[in-house]
Amino acid sequence: MVHEQLGLVLRKISKRAKETKRNENEINLIAVSKTYDAPEIKPVLEAGQKQFGENRVQEAQSKWPDLKNEFSDIKLHLIGPLQSNKAGEAVALFDVIHTIDREKIAAAVAKEMAKQNRQLELFIQVNTGHEPQKAGVLPEDLEAFANLCVDKYGLQIKGLMCIPPVKENPGPHFYLLRKYCDQLGFQSLSMGMSADYELAIEFGATHLRVGSAIFGARDYG
Ligand SMILES: *Cc1c(COP(=O)(O)O)cnc(C)c1O
């Protein structure tokens, strides 16, 4: 049952937070509900989970407006790549965007937030593994990009996000992201998925993005 899996994940987070002397209150669990429909998401909402992640704007639009009406205080996170022509819809629906990674997106999000009078929490995605197919700013470009976001577009950046290469030990990537975050003076670290969220806690993660450990294996996505 989905709510039992949620309970298990929450207990593991709590346990690891204690073991690593982290403050549990600064660790946010984002239940990644991509590919799952409302009937599968509702039990998790009914169990009290408030933060959810989706990786596609269109897919999120097909289910979350209704769920947001039915359940209060939901915080919705965009964790997948954003196209600038979807920035308006993304800013209207989401509360947090984890994937700011190029000037065009920074500009589009800044413009939409001003237009819609909404303040979202924003993370810069960093391609810590230098993977050509992966989104994210390269580490060597991060400082300049962060300055651009803040100085040119007036964005308040909350933190950094990474998706380590699948076949590598994620530890060194979590370590690097933490280091960059400290250097730039940001507060939050979006890192850790089903396979490695306990390790991410050790490295200072504040936002864990956990899908299959809660919802079960996905067919696609
Ligand atoms: C799908 C996804 C997750 C969750 O992955 P699981 O392995 O199912 O926990 C986390 N982050 C991003 C960016 C994703 O796209």
Side-chain angles (χ1 to χ4, degrees):
M1 294 290 286
V2 140
H3 67 265
E4 285 166 6
Q5 285 157 213
L6 173 68
L8 183 64
V9 170
L10 287 169
R11 282 197 299 281
K12 284 187 177 175
I13 292 171
S14 176
K15 182 165 177 278
R16 185 53 64 98
K18 284 196 189 79
E19 286 165 358
T20 57
K21 302 203 162 47
R22 294 279 317 276
N23 176 358
E24 216 184 313
N25 296 329
E26 66 176 36
I27 303 174
N28 296 271
L29 172 63
I30 302 168
V32 177
S33 49
K34 66 186 185 195
T35 79
Y36 288 97
D37 292 325
E40 292 145 315
I41 299 171
K42 276 187 187 180
V44 180
L45 282 158
E46 279 156 5
Q49 175 67 22
K50 296 290 187 192
Q51 304 199 64
F52 289 84
E54 291 281 345
N55 68 337
R56 294 199 174 99
V57 176
Q58 233 161 348
E59 183 188 336
Q61 272 179 326
S62 73
K63 49 191 173 184
W64 282 102
D66 285 349
L67 290 170
K68 274 189 158 184
N69 280 338
E70 194 176 337
F71 296 86
S72 56
D73 303 323
I74 290 173
K75 201 164 181 178
L76 202 55
H77 298 253
L78 178 62
I79 61 170
L82 176 60
Q83 262 116 47
S84 56
N85 63 357
K86 294 266 167 60
E89 291 155 285
V91 166
L93 180 63
F94 288 92
D95 305 289
V96 187
I97 297 177
H98 291 238
T99 51
I100 305 293
D101 69 349
R102 55 193 190 280
E103 182 166 6
K104 206 173 170 190
I105 294 302
V109 167
K111 187 173 153 217
E112 285 298 334
M113 289 199 308
K115 193 166 133 194
Q116 300 182 31
N117 194 21
R118 272 175 65 74
Q119 276 298 325
L120 276 66
E121 291 175 15
L122 303 173
F123 288 76
I124 294 175
Q125 182 175 355
V126 186
N127 187 352
T128 55
H130 289 84
E131 293 173 282
Q133 82 288 3
K134 198 165 269 174
V137 189
L138 293 174
E140 55 270 33
D141 299 331
L142 176 59
E143 188 177 354
F145 181 68
N147 288 337
L148 186 81
C149 287
V150 175
D151 299 338
K152 184 167 175 190
Y153 296 104
L155 296 176
Q156 281 183 33
I157 301 296
K158 189 176 167 78
L160 303 178
M161 175 270 213
C162 77
I163 311 171
V166 257
K167 293 202 175 87
E168 283 180 34
N169 175 3
H173 296 273
F174 295 160
Y175 172 85
L176 274 180
L177 200 70
R178 164 89 185 260
K179 195 181 86 176
Y180 301 146
C181 189
D182 289 346
Q183 284 169 352
L184 293 167
F186 299 141
Q187 298 95 50
S188 301
L189 284 167
S190 168
M191 58 190 197
M193 312 187 357
S194 291
D196 52 26
Y197 65 91
E198 291 167 279
L199 183 69
I201 291 171
E202 251 176 84
F203 283 92
T206 60
H207 292 69
L208 312 171
R209 311 179 310 264
V210 178
S212 46
I214 296 170
F215 289 99
R218 286 178 299 272
D219 292 338
Y220 65 96

